Amino acid sequence: MTIRMRVPVRPSVEDITEYKPGKSVKGAIKLSSNENPLGASPEVVRAIVGRLEAGDLKLSVYPWERNEESLREEIARYAGVDVNRIVIGAGIDGVLDTLVKIFIGNGDEAEALIPVPTFSLYESLVKIAGGTPRYIPRDRDNNFGIPAAALISACNDKTRMIFLSSPNNPTGNCMAEGDVRAIAESVPTAMVAIDEAYVEFADKSLVNLVNEYDNVLVLRTFSKAFGLAGLRVGYAVIPEWLASIYNKVALPFTVNNVALTAALTALSDKEHLRRSIELVQVGRAYLEQNLQGLFTVYLSEANFVLVDVSPRTAREVFDALLKKGITVRDCSSFRGAGDSFIRISVGTQEQNEKVVAALKSL
Ligand SMILES: Cc1ncc(COP(=O)(O)O)c(C=O)c1O
């Protein structure tokens, strides 16, 4: 006998849309996923290959607790916080997956608050967990800032997570510290999750707020400034009370042996980090200056710029650039972004010049 039918899946899973990563096309210049144009530090590559060959780094054994601890200690030093507040995972995505499982799924109205447009994984994770997000539109006329008062009044005592990305993807703007304080103080029964994936490219961090507020946490990653997106390492700085709960819920061994070695080595190569940040800051200013006049460009503190290409559509410009061998991000898939925004990752100077020339010739 054979069986040909679907087993019913949870309704919340039917409703989600699959995460669409930035497009990769063989041979094209990829400015669609906010990766590091310098790649990983050469020290990282040497450490992985050398230790694998020497047999100190083994693929056949589970990650050793002491190596995880060393990475947490170095992250704590880098972030300037106590090591007991650091948890690590498979990218910010992996850390968020655990956090959402801890807080979401009670089925209450406004259980999660998401200012949009923003990184789409927040919405997917909340829905997968069985939660219903409430969306707050960012203020387009104010560089996509979050209207803090509107956000606070959209919360209730059942709200458990508020997702603030700073700098935000795809808009590039940072949260004002006063607004984050007001939100954390007004909604003490919700975790305020500040996603600082791009913080190295910005001129400020909100990480110290975790020391003051038991309902604030900060997420960071090795995928952007450290150039390790392919290895999947991220971390969060969380309040101490949450650490033991996090460790119960997280899957064991989510950061693999190679990734642990890579992240530790990346933290020690300060020069590669400095060069990566400088390249982005110079390239971002170049893109902003050269595209402003042609289109509306939003001021960014991240490694990308958001461009409003109206009266053209994002799709048209995306296709035209693709024909010229460049991929950017068509932002129409971001909830609340409309259909005229593209996001361009900062590349090498040569890549930046190519994308500017291509846009000028449209
Ligand atoms: C705001 C934001 N958070 C998190 C991520 C994912 O980070 P990770 O690679 O550490 O999972 C991205 C990736 O583009 C992002 O834009």
Side-chain angles (χ1 to χ4, degrees):
M1 174 179 136
T2 53
I3 294 182
R4 296 262 173 270
M5 61 171 276
R6 284 177 54 151
V7 173
V9 303
R10 289 166 46 226
S12 56
V13 174
E14 292 279 14
D15 185 37
I16 59 168
T17 33
E18 192 183 333
Y19 179 76
K20 294 259 184 306
K23 202 169 172 71
S24 302
V25 174
K26 209 161 185 241
I29 296 173
K30 187 179 178 208
L31 301 178
S32 55
S33 293
N34 306 336
E35 292 149 339
N36 187 329
L38 295 181
S41 147
E43 299 278 327
V44 167
V45 179
R46 267 196 290 279
I48 292 173
V49 174
R51 285 182 210 165
L52 275 173
E53 280 174 358
D56 326 329
L57 173 58
K58 290 196 171 63
L59 301 183
S60 55
V61 298
Y62 286 102
W64 191 33
E65 210 177 316
R66 180 63 214 138
N67 289 346
E68 289 186 15
E69 257 171 59
S70 306
L71 178 59
R72 288 177 47 244
E73 281 159 10
E74 286 311 311
I75 290 171
R77 219 186 306 275
Y78 170 72
V81 297
D82 191 277
V83 65
N84 295 327
R85 293 182 180 279
I86 303 290
V87 290
I88 57 177
I92 286 181
D93 296 355
V95 178
L96 270 177
D97 183 46
T98 303
L99 289 167
V100 171
K101 281 182 191 151
I102 294 173
F103 293 106
I104 302 294
N106 297 318
D108 296 310
E109 184 65 10
E111 206 177 351
L113 261 280
I114 307 181
V116 292
T118 195
F119 184 46
S120 64
L121 197 76
Y122 310 144
E123 168 177 343
S124 305
L125 289 176
V126 168
K127 287 182 174 170
I128 293 167
T132 313
R134 180 172 281 178
Y135 307 103
I136 307 293
R138 288 169 174 267
D139 185 356
R140 186 175 288 207
D141 298 328
N142 182 21
N143 203 31
F144 284 101
I146 294 176
L151 186 143
I152 291 167
S153 51
C155 295
N156 61 40
D157 62 357
K158 299 286 170 46
T159 302
R160 292 290 172 267
M161 290 192 88
I162 300 171
F163 292 89
L164 306 177
S165 172
S166 182
N168 182 47
N169 173 12
T171 57
N173 59 316
C174 282
M175 286 292 299
E177 182 175 324
D179 284 347
V180 180
R181 286 182 182 278
I183 294 166
E185 287 166 22
S186 308
V187 197
T189 50
M191 280 313 300
V192 179
I194 307 170
D195 184 342
E196 290 196 336
Y198 302 99
V199 74
E200 281 85 1
F201 310 113
D203 61 8
K204 59 180 172 293
S205 163
L206 296 165
V207 74
N208 286 331
L209 296 186
V210 182
N211 295 322
E212 283 181 59
Y213 296 100
D214 269 354
N215 63 330
V216 170
L217 63 87
V218 169
L219 297 138
R220 301 259 191 95
T221 184
F222 284 86
S223 298
K224 308 296 176 183
F226 291 99
L228 298 181
L231 282 176
R232 318 300 304 124
V233 195
Y235 60 96
V237 185
I238 61 177
E240 273 187 52
W241 67 266
L242 184 54
S244 58
I245 301 171
Y246 183 96
N247 291 329
K248 276 195 294 190
V249 176
L251 292 175
F253 311 123
T254 53
V255 182
N256 67 63
N257 287 337
V258 177
L260 286 170
T261 301
L264 257 177
T265 314
L267 279 171
S268 69
D269 189 350
K270 302 266 183 291
E271 181 52 21
H272 187 75
L273 178 63
R274 192 198 60 73
R275 288 204 306 128
S276 304
I277 296 170
E278 187 179 80
L279 185 78
V280 164
Q281 289 174 340
V282 171
R284 183 173 73 196
Y286 172 85
L287 289 176
E288 281 168 357
Q289 280 154 19
N290 285 278
L291 295 176
Q292 204 60 262
L294 206 57
F295 301 110
T296 306
V297 183
Y298 288 80
L299 287 183
S300 168
E301 297 212 43
N303 63 348
F304 53 82
V305 291
L306 182 73
V307 181
D308 183 352
V309 296
S310 46
R312 295 174 196 265
T313 64
R315 183 79 227 171
E316 267 171 63
V317 174
F318 173 89
D319 287 340
L321 289 176
L322 185 58
K323 282 203 188 103
K324 293 176 187 278
I326 302 170
T327 59
V328 295
R329 184 73 190 237
D330 167 357
C331 294
S332 20
S333 64
F334 284 75
R335 177 184 293 278
D339 64 0
S340 68
F341 287 95
I342 60 167
R343 190 194 67 199
I344 308 172
S345 306
V346 179
T348 59
Q349 184 56 25
E350 191 189 341
Q351 293 172 332
N352 299 336
E353 284 168 15
K354 284 196 173 141
V355 74
V356 166
L359 283 166
K360 283 189 170 156
S361 71
L362 286 184

